[in-house]
Amino acid sequence: MSSTRETWKSNLGFVLAAAGSAIGLGAIWRLPYTMGQNGGGAFILLFLLLNFVVGVPLFMAELVLGRSGQRGTVSCFRRFAATGSMWVAGGWLAAAAALLILGWYCVVAGWGIHYTLMALVDAFAGKSADQVAQLFHAFRASGLLNVLFQSLFLLLTALIVSRGLAAGIERYSRVMTLGLFAMLLCLVLYGAMLPGFAQAVRYIFVPNWSAITPATVLEALGLALFTLSLGYGPIITYGSYMKPSQNIPQTSLIIGVANFAVSLLIAMAIFPLIFSFGFAPTAGEGLVFQILPFVFEQLPMAMLLCVLFFALLIFTSLTSAISFLEVLVTNCMDLLNWSRQRSVWVGCAAAFVVGLPTALAPSGNLFGLWPDIYGKSFLETSNVVINWLTAFAALITSLFVGWHLPNHIRHEGFCSGSHWGKLYVAWLWCVRVVVPFAVSMILSWHCGLFEPFLRAF
């Protein structure tokens, strides 16, 4: 271990930071509409299964690689691969994906700042559902406003990461992750008093097996990997700061449970609101920003609820964004021998530039014809690219740790600080066989290889 490399001050701090990284926009923005479009409770059960059978073993593998390598993503692969080896592509893919994700992430998280401000000035009062939706479209058409809130969020992220591991990432992740749980519980308790709560509970906990298709299984698998921050570097990076005494299997299981619990609580917070006012659970990506503000306005304590919800979104976004930026920072520090401060601000500048098309494209000021040419918005297109990068990075990581990493390094990485050594063989089988198979299914699905089979369903 490098004598100058920071380590987590406490195991709780690391758990909360890693959990905060995992519990991001994937849980609060993507899960509700994905679940609504894929069978409710049946999708949740699939998500639960795949979260622990595929997600947690890969989570452990990334922590093992990070703690064993004690470097950023690229240098971790380089440390255990021959010079010029293609294995190092896994580290570069993870770093590239982290940069691309941070670019659009800051834009969408900036929407949360914008909506918190709108809630504070009571901008949704007296508006119909269509008028609230139109507010979102008007905001997206304003490139300068999008850039403003993108910049504010990126600045917040930079200020935290620039303070270092203990004084910045660990301290603020602890506060924000605990605050996230507290706000979420408040929203769930409020939702329990609404007339749509019983219907929401049935929808979440009673599986509709007829809605399950092979595409649903693959969607649940992709979401399990995305919500655990796998394939794009944060977990490898956070693992590189772990002490030998910290228990990787136990910690991974705790975070896997926390990830699923938060996902479930988010569903229990949002769906009672949706059902109480007769909206369809399949409303899509506009659910959070176009429907929920109108719903909040119909309830007692409308302003408080709306502010609370979008503050929750900002908190979840920040705990993830700081981990994405840290991926870039550690790579710059390792590969270029830069200081943390320089690495942070260069990383932020790169993320800002990468995020500009997402911020400006809907206004027509940049890539205005993109949807006409590609058939998708710039944000949707970039997410497709990111899905490919993260899937390939996850596949390379699982194969590298499972088959290439020296056995004594892998065994020591898994067992150090742990009494769970008996699980090593089962974990290794998952990393070598189950995870590569599952990720290969995602890649095959994106390639369209399953299309004839899926049409049969």
Side-chain angles (χ1 to χ4, degrees):
M1 182 184 296
S2 170
S3 60
T4 60
R5 192 168 186 80
E6 291 185 89
T7 58
W8 302 102
K9 294 299 183 185
S10 68
N11 193 57
L12 177 62
F14 164 66
V15 168
L16 291 175
S21 173
I23 303 163
L25 282 177
I28 199 168
W29 181 43
R30 185 175 166 186
L31 175 71
Y33 76 80
T34 305
M35 179 183 169
Q37 294 170 345
N38 289 277
F43 182 83
I44 280 288
L45 287 178
L46 281 174
F47 177 70
L48 171 64
L49 175 66
L50 295 168
N51 182 66
F52 289 102
V53 174
V54 179
V56 171
L58 181 55
F59 194 96
M60 294 180 189
E62 292 201 359
L63 287 181
V64 166
L65 179 58
R67 184 165 69 178
S68 301
Q70 294 288 287
R71 295 291 185 273
T73 58
V74 175
S75 296
C76 273
F77 280 90
R78 279 184 175 176
R79 182 168 182 178
F80 301 109
T83 303
S85 172
M86 291 299 293
W87 285 116
V88 182
W92 285 109
L93 286 174
L99 174 60
L100 293 176
I101 292 172
L102 184 60
W104 74 257
Y105 214 86
C106 291
V107 177
V108 177
W111 301 352
I113 299 176
H114 166 68
Y115 268 70
T116 303
L117 180 60
M118 291 182 73
L120 286 171
V121 300
D122 213 13
F124 305 115
K127 300 287 194 304
S128 67
D130 289 340
Q131 288 173 324
V132 170
Q134 186 55 42
L135 285 176
F136 177 75
H137 296 305
F139 167 64
R140 289 294 286 132
S142 173
L144 289 178
L145 276 179
N146 277 263
V147 170
L148 170 64
F149 291 109
Q150 171 202 16
S151 303
L152 287 175
F153 183 83
L154 197 52
L155 178 61
L156 286 174
T157 305
L159 290 174
I160 293 172
V161 177
S162 66
R163 294 176 63 86
L165 185 68
I169 296 172
E170 186 170 354
R171 174 184 294 177
Y172 288 96
S173 291
R174 184 193 296 257
V175 173
M176 289 186 292
T177 303
L178 292 175
L180 182 157
F181 276 97
M183 289 187 287
L184 193 51
L185 285 173
C186 289
L187 288 170
V188 171
L189 291 174
Y190 189 94
M193 297 183 288
L194 297 177
F197 184 73
Q199 185 181 358
V201 170
R202 287 194 299 271
Y203 184 76
I204 295 169
F205 292 102
V206 178
N208 175 19
W209 296 115
S210 64
I212 296 298
T213 66
T216 305
V217 178
L218 293 171
E219 189 71 36
L221 177 58
L223 190 62
L225 297 180
F226 183 78
T227 57
L228 281 170
S229 296
L230 297 170
Y232 40 96
I235 306 307
I236 295 176
T237 303
Y238 279 7
S240 72
Y241 297 122
M242 292 184 74
K243 299 174 183 176
S245 60
Q246 290 179 296
N247 189 329
I248 283 180
Q250 183 183 69
T251 299
S252 302
L253 186 60
I254 290 171
I255 293 170
V257 170
N259 180 59
F260 179 74
V262 168
S263 299
L264 197 61
L265 287 173
I266 287 171
M268 292 179 66
I270 289 178
F271 284 111
L273 299 169
I274 300 303
F275 286 122
S276 294
F277 292 91
F279 288 101
T282 58
E285 296 183 9
L287 179 67
V288 167
F289 294 104
Q290 297 182 48
I291 292 178
L292 287 183
F294 169 76
V295 169
F296 287 134
E297 198 58 40
Q298 314 310 307
L299 298 169
M301 301 184 295
M303 179 187 291
L304 177 61
L305 284 173
C306 203
V307 170
L308 186 65
F309 178 81
F310 286 108
L312 173 67
L313 188 144
I314 295 170
F315 272 35
T316 58
S317 302
L318 264 175
T319 54
S320 294
I322 59 178
S323 69
F324 304 152
L325 180 56
E326 184 66 11
V327 173
L328 306 180
V329 169
T330 53
N331 278 300
C332 287
M333 292 169 67
D334 292 342
L335 301 174
L336 303 173
N337 200 29
W338 287 357
S339 68
R340 171 170 287 273
Q341 297 296 325
R342 182 181 183 184
S343 300
V344 166
W345 296 111
V346 171
C348 282
F352 177 77
V353 172
V354 168
L356 279 179
T358 300
L360 296 176
S363 67
N365 295 328
L366 187 65
F367 303 150
L369 295 177
W370 190 281
D372 298 327
I373 297 172
Y374 291 96
K376 297 178 182 292
S377 69
F378 186 88
L379 176 58
E380 292 169 327
T381 308
S382 64
N383 281 337
V384 170
V385 175
I386 290 166
N387 287 340
W388 280 99
L389 289 176
T390 54
F392 274 117
L395 179 61
I396 293 172
T397 301
S398 62
L399 293 174
F400 184 77
V401 173
W403 295 99
H404 184 80
L405 200 65
N407 187 61
H408 70 282
I409 298 291
R410 184 175 54 234
H411 187 271
E412 181 182 355
F414 182 87
C415 297
S416 179
S418 171
H419 300 293
W420 297 33
K422 292 181 179 179
L423 295 179
Y424 175 76
V425 174
W427 167 75
L428 183 58
W429 184 80
C430 285
V431 172
R432 283 180 166 180
V433 179
V434 177
V435 174
F437 174 79
V439 176
S440 296
M441 291 299 99
I442 294 178
L443 291 170
S444 300
W445 178 37
H446 284 302
C447 288
L449 297 180
F450 294 153
E451 195 63 31
F453 179 64
L454 293 176
R455 279 199 291 266
F457 288 80

